[in-house]
Amino acid sequence: MHHLHLNPVAVLVTAIMQWLIGAIWYSLLFAKPWNAMVAVRQEGKGKTMITGMIASLVGDILVSLAMAHMILWSGASTVQWGIIIGLICWLGFIVAPMLPQNIYEGRPFKLFAINSGYWLVALVLTGVILAIWH
């Protein structure tokens, strides 16, 4: 019953951290190029933003929960192992499907770099926190 050993506070904290990184990433750091490449519609943007923010938080909770299981199953308990687990998750679950999708859709590599870069930072930090915070 490994799931009984998960730290729900750490899962929630890392999910909120991912959400905040995303907010900073897409509104302050890369807002202009990202908006230009995805052509965000302005009509109805307020409702869409709220729905998107809620969906992002729910998704971030699921990502943190899944990573907490991976950290637990791997026995990772150091910063270095947290980084490794975060990198493995990023390469296997973000880069592997997102890069070909980006190519098939004819989207600029810069968009892939912005989107996957967010996940690189978020997953590595999540891995570190979950590995050291039991």
Side-chain angles (χ1 to χ4, degrees):
M1 302 295 282
H2 71 277
H3 63 278
L4 298 177
H5 300 291
L6 291 178
N7 181 341
V9 176
V11 169
L12 186 59
V13 166
T14 55
I16 293 169
M17 176 205 61
Q18 290 171 30
W19 189 81
L20 290 172
I21 291 170
I24 293 166
W25 198 267
Y26 290 102
S27 68
L28 296 177
L29 298 177
F30 299 104
K32 286 182 183 180
W34 182 79
N35 277 312
M37 288 182 278
V38 298
V40 174
R41 288 188 246 152
Q42 297 303 316
E43 67 275 355
K45 190 174 180 182
K47 184 178 179 184
T48 302
M49 288 294 290
I50 292 169
T51 305
M53 291 167 67
I54 292 168
S56 291
L57 184 58
V58 170
D60 292 337
I61 290 168
L62 294 173
V63 167
S64 289
L65 186 61
M67 281 198 67
H69 281 83
M70 290 181 211
I71 293 288
L72 184 65
W73 293 334
S74 70
S77 61
T78 66
V79 169
Q80 293 83 2
W81 278 109
I83 291 169
I84 290 169
I85 299 295
L87 285 172
I88 290 169
C89 288
W90 177 71
L91 283 170
F93 300 120
I94 303 299
V95 173
M98 191 184 284
L99 181 59
Q101 178 181 6
N102 199 73
I103 293 168
Y104 283 128
E105 293 174 355
R107 294 181 179 251
F109 182 80
K110 187 175 182 178
L111 180 61
F112 167 77
I114 291 170
N115 289 332
S116 66
Y118 156 70
W119 282 111
L120 173 63
V121 172
L123 292 177
V124 166
L125 289 176
T126 299
V128 168
I129 292 168
L130 291 174
I132 61 175
W133 189 9
H134 298 288

